[in-house]
């Protein structure tokens, strides 16, 4: 048997050993309970509404490694943004969308943990403005 590479989507901190995940992994000999425990532990700090792209590499001896692709910055911003409607000085209704400074910092630290904060803030700002 050669190595097998699977790409599946799982909600953060929500892997369960039952179907369909258990069936998929079990059919190729992976210890599903072990995978679920490791995945849920790895993603425990993430909100469970994050649907994550997970790549699982299963080796010949049925051991596995997995990597997770975090959601794009634009997706995270869309979950956190707040919308307000107000009337300007001319009485025209305006729509304002924003995120808080606290959320701005959290996104930068979450998405780019290994970057200098100043650099990651610039990236997030660019996404906000686009």
């Amino acid at each position: 048997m050669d190595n097998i590479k699977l790409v599946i989507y799982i909600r953060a901190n929500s892997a369960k050993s039952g179907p369909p995940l258990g069936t998929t992994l079990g059919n190729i000999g992976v210890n599903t309970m072990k995978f679920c425990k490791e995945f849920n532990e790895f993603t425990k700090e993430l909100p469970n509404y994050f649907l994550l792209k997970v790549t699982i590499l299963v080796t010949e001896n049925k051991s596995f490694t997995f990597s997770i692709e975090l959601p794009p910055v634009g997706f995270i911003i869309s979950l956190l943004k707040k919308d307000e409607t107000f009337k300007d000085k001319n009485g025209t209704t305006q729509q304002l969308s924003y995120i808080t400074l606290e959320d701005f910092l959290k996104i930068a630290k979450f998405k780019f943990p290994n970057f200098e904060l100043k650099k990651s803030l610039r990236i997030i700002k660019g996404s906000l403005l686009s």
Side-chain angles (χ1 to χ4, degrees):
M1 172 177 131
D2 292 330
N3 293 342
I4 298 172
K5 180 179 174 182
L6 297 170
V7 177
I8 55 178
Y9 290 85
I10 308 172
R11 293 201 179 280
N13 201 23
S14 298
K16 293 183 175 72
S17 60
L21 182 61
T23 306
T24 303
L25 295 177
N27 284 340
I28 56 175
V30 172
N31 181 336
T32 307
M33 296 287 284
K34 182 178 179 189
F35 171 81
C36 291
K37 182 179 177 188
E38 288 181 23
F39 176 83
N40 290 336
E41 179 64 26
F42 188 80
T43 62
K44 71 181 178 186
E45 300 295 325
L46 300 177
N48 67 348
Y49 51 78
F50 276 14
L51 186 61
L52 304 170
K53 182 178 180 181
V54 182
T55 302
I56 305 169
L57 181 63
V58 182
T59 61
E60 290 183 33
N61 67 359
K62 309 292 188 215
S63 64
F64 63 87
T65 58
F66 65 92
S67 61
I68 296 173
E69 188 175 314
L70 295 174
V73 171
F75 174 76
I76 298 169
I77 289 169
S78 71
L79 294 173
L80 297 173
K81 79 175 182 174
K82 295 159 182 61
D83 295 314
E84 287 189 20
T85 304
F86 66 97
K87 292 195 185 255
D88 65 16
K89 64 183 178 182
N90 298 324
T92 306
T93 302
Q94 300 287 332
Q95 181 74 26
L96 174 69
S97 296
Y98 66 94
I99 65 169
T100 64
L101 179 58
E102 181 181 358
D103 285 342
F104 185 69
L105 291 169
K106 282 181 182 178
I107 294 169
K109 289 178 183 177
F110 166 73
K111 189 65 179 173
F112 305 105
N114 299 322
F115 283 24
E116 180 183 316
L117 185 59
K118 186 176 180 179
K119 182 177 181 180
S120 59
L121 289 173
R122 279 193 214 127
I123 295 169
I124 303 303
K125 180 182 175 188
S127 295
L128 280 168
L129 296 174
S130 66

